Amino acid sequence: MVSVLGRLEERERAARKRVEELQAELEAAQSEWDEWLIARRRVGEVWDAGESAGQETVAGNKAGTPSAARPGSVVPIWREGLSVEVLAPEYQQVMGLLVERRAAGGQPLNCREITALAGLEVVPAKIEGVRCKLKRLVARGWAHEPVPGRFACGDGRDGGS
C-alpha cells in the first residue's frame, strides 16, 4: 500500500517538473520576444536615420524627429528633448496617466488601474492591450517598471523638452 506522503511527494515532483518545463518555455518565448524587440528597434533606428537624411531643422524640431504621431505608429526610443507628442494618441494617454500619478505623488499603477483610468472597459483583452503598450514604453525608455506589474513615468519623460 502506497502511503499518503508518498503520493503527495509524487504529485509534488510532477508539479515541480511541470513548473520547470513552463519556466523553460517562458524563457525561450521571452528570448524570442526580446530578439523581435531588438529587430524592431534596429529597423526603427535605420528608418529614422533614412528619414532624417536631407531634412533640415524646422521650428526647433530636430531633423528626423516627427512633430506629430499617427495612431499605430512606432514608439521611438526616448531621448533628451523628445516630447510625448511624437507618440501615438493612445500612448500619449497612457503617459499622461503616469505623469498625473507621479505629480500627485502616488504609487506606480498596474495595468488594470490604467485601463480603468483610460476609460476603457476593464476586460482581459483591454488590460492586455494596455500591458503591451506599457511594456513597449518601458522597453523604449519612456516609462519604467519599478515593481513587476506596476508602471511609472520615468524622470524627465513628462512630455517636456
Side-chain angles (χ1 to χ4, degrees), residues 60 78-85 156 158-161:
W78 184 86
R79 60 187 177 274
E80 194 66 41
L82 200 58
S83 174
V84 294
E85 283 79 30
D158 55 1
S161 317

Side-chain angles (χ1 to χ4, degrees), residues 10-52:
E10 255 180 49
R11 291 186 183 216
E12 180 185 355
R13 277 193 300 274
R16 186 176 341 129
K17 181 181 177 189
R18 178 77 175 128
V19 167
E20 289 170 356
E21 290 169 353
L22 289 172
Q23 284 176 334
E25 189 177 334
L26 177 62
E27 287 175 15
Q30 180 71 45
S31 177
E32 182 181 0
W33 180 37
D34 289 344
E35 290 173 10
W36 285 112
L37 262 174
I38 291 167
R40 183 193 283 228
R41 189 175 300 142
R42 296 287 186 248
V43 168
E45 289 170 1
V46 170
W47 187 269
D48 287 345
E51 287 182 350
S52 66

Side-chain angles (χ1 to χ4, degrees), residues 57-69:
T57 302
V58 178
N61 192 15
K62 293 180 183 175
T65 303
S67 58

Side-chain angles (χ1 to χ4, degrees), residues 85-154:
E85 283 79 30
V86 302
L87 299 173
E90 59 271 18
Y91 287 92
Q92 289 180 26
Q93 181 183 26
V94 169
M95 284 300 298
L97 293 169
L98 296 177
V99 169
E100 286 175 20
R101 178 53 68 106
R102 184 180 69 187
Q107 295 296 316
L109 296 164
N110 67 30
C111 298
R112 179 177 291 277
E113 293 166 335
I114 293 172
T115 303
L117 289 170
L120 300 171
E121 187 178 2
V122 183
V123 296
K126 298 291 183 182
I127 294 169
E128 286 306 310
V130 168
R131 183 183 324 281
C132 183
K133 286 175 182 56
L134 287 162
K135 291 289 189 176
R136 188 167 292 126
L137 288 168
V138 168
R140 305 294 198 299
W142 289 89
H144 67 280
E145 192 174 4
V147 176
R150 295 237 166 228
F151 300 87
C153 182

